[in-house]
Amino acid sequence: MAVKKLSVYSPDYPPASYTGEDELFIHMGIDRVDVLVRSGIKNLPEALEIFSKEEEVDWQETLKSILRQSELLRRNFSERHIAFSFPDALVIPEAKFSSSSTKDLINLIYGEQPHSWIGYKKMPRSFEMMLAYRIEQGIHDWMTERFPSYDTTHLYAELLHHLLSDTIATEKIAFIHLEENTWILTLLNGGQLQLIQTFNYSTREDVLYDLLNGLQQSQIPSNQCRLKISGQLTASDELVDQLSGLFQSIEWQSVPAAGIFQSLKQQFPPHHFYLLQRWLL
């Protein structure tokens, strides 16, 4: 089973009025699925549903449950975009990329997963890198059975595109994005990617430990580094107090709220849905 944790629909544009001109966005992560519709008329996000996945339930059953509950997935759309944030992902220099060696490398680093599908995302030419990511075969089967056409990506690609484009060559940057049980760490030094990785955590101390360890391994002094934060963390969090004493500066990441994200500003801080909103840009 999947649990619907949040559903927001524009009062001016309810699900019954969605047409084949609208776009569908689906994000799947370790324990959540986000379903979002962008209006083909206004080009604004008009609906959002967030589902949590129960740990003991497989993905095929989870997606069937979501399909039964969703007001959005029953409609037809002009375009369908699917993004993943599963941790089995690698950034590879474009000059060294090959599909066969990439599969072997993913198996070596993350362990073999017999029933799986590997996707690839070519980054902008100036970055000279490819992103490879692995998902369960059941998820891929569901997509191909459900949708006549779609494109896929990994949120690492969207995150890196933004960070590498907006970072000058001399900067040291740490970016953290927190979800309920996992978080993403990205480190840049001198305009070069040093690390991008997803970690599990149980306590805020776990986050701090892995962050400082990543900085040490990448030889980046925290007091010379700008820290960028998004996701499920607030300014009043004790972890933020600890980070404030360690980093050169702290910057909360957000994009201007549009469509249904305007109505969510009362419930969530501007940086809460940052990666999801950034993907829409």
Side-chain angles (χ1 to χ4, degrees), residues 130-183:
M130 295 281 293
L131 181 67
Y133 53 92
R134 184 172 70 180
I135 65 173
E136 289 188 17
Q137 184 66 46
I139 296 175
H140 184 256
D141 292 344
W142 180 84
M143 294 188 308
T144 56
E145 291 169 5
R146 181 69 193 164
F147 305 120
S149 62
Y150 55 85
D151 59 66
T152 64
T153 188
H154 194 284
L155 286 187
Y156 281 7
E158 311 307 315
L159 174 56
L160 288 174
H161 190 180
H162 167 60
L163 286 177
L164 291 170
S165 299
D166 287 3
T167 302
I168 62 175
T170 57
E171 284 188 300
K172 297 175 173 63
I173 300 290
F175 176 95
I176 63 174
H177 177 83
L178 268 77
E179 296 291 349
E180 189 170 348
N181 301 303
T182 63
W183 68 288

Side-chain angles (χ1 to χ4, degrees), residues 50-160:
I50 297 178
F51 299 87
S52 64
K53 176 185 179 297
E54 295 181 353
E55 186 175 353
E56 66 277 7
V57 180
D58 67 30
W59 269 103
Q60 286 184 312
E61 288 303 315
T62 296
L63 291 169
K64 288 178 183 177
S65 174
I66 290 173
L67 190 58
R68 288 193 297 267
Q69 298 179 60
S70 175
E71 296 290 331
L72 308 178
L73 290 173
R74 305 168 192 169
R75 309 275 171 191
N76 293 320
F77 297 93
S78 63
E79 296 181 25
R80 291 150 291 271
H81 313 280
I82 303 174
F84 306 103
S85 58
F86 297 106
D88 297 7
L90 295 175
V91 178
I92 304 163
E94 190 173 3
K96 297 182 178 180
F97 173 79
S98 77
S99 57
S100 58
S101 62
T102 297
K103 181 179 180 180
D104 293 338
L105 190 57
I106 288 178
N107 287 336
L108 178 66
I109 294 174
Y110 297 108
E112 293 197 12
Q113 186 175 324
H115 304 292
S116 61
W117 178 83
I118 296 177
Y120 305 99
K121 178 69 174 182
K122 182 177 174 60
M123 302 292 288
R125 181 172 305 208
S126 60
F127 297 159
E128 298 181 343
M129 61 178 65
M130 295 281 293
L131 181 67
Y133 53 92
R134 184 172 70 180
I135 65 173
E136 289 188 17
Q137 184 66 46
I139 296 175
H140 184 256
D141 292 344
W142 180 84
M143 294 188 308
T144 56
E145 291 169 5
R146 181 69 193 164
F147 305 120
S149 62
Y150 55 85
D151 59 66
T152 64
T153 188
H154 194 284
L155 286 187
Y156 281 7
E158 311 307 315
L159 174 56
L160 288 174

Side-chain angles (χ1 to χ4, degrees), residues 215-277:
L215 288 167
Q216 183 180 32
Q217 294 295 321
S218 300
Q219 298 182 338
I220 300 176
S222 61
N223 62 358
Q224 299 176 22
C225 183
R226 291 165 54 200
L227 177 64
K228 301 186 176 188
I229 300 175
S230 69
Q232 299 181 26
L233 195 61
T234 63
S236 61
D237 197 294
E238 183 179 349
L239 175 61
V240 177
D241 287 338
Q242 295 173 301
L243 295 173
S244 298
L246 294 171
F247 285 86
Q248 182 185 85
S249 64
I250 290 182
E251 303 167 15
W252 297 91
Q253 302 300 287
S254 63
V255 297
I260 47 96
F261 289 108
Q262 285 277 2
S263 64
L264 291 170
K265 288 196 300 184
Q266 302 301 318
Q267 293 177 257
F268 302 97
H271 56 271
H272 188 93
F273 296 106
Y274 172 72
L275 283 187
L276 192 59
Q277 291 175 276

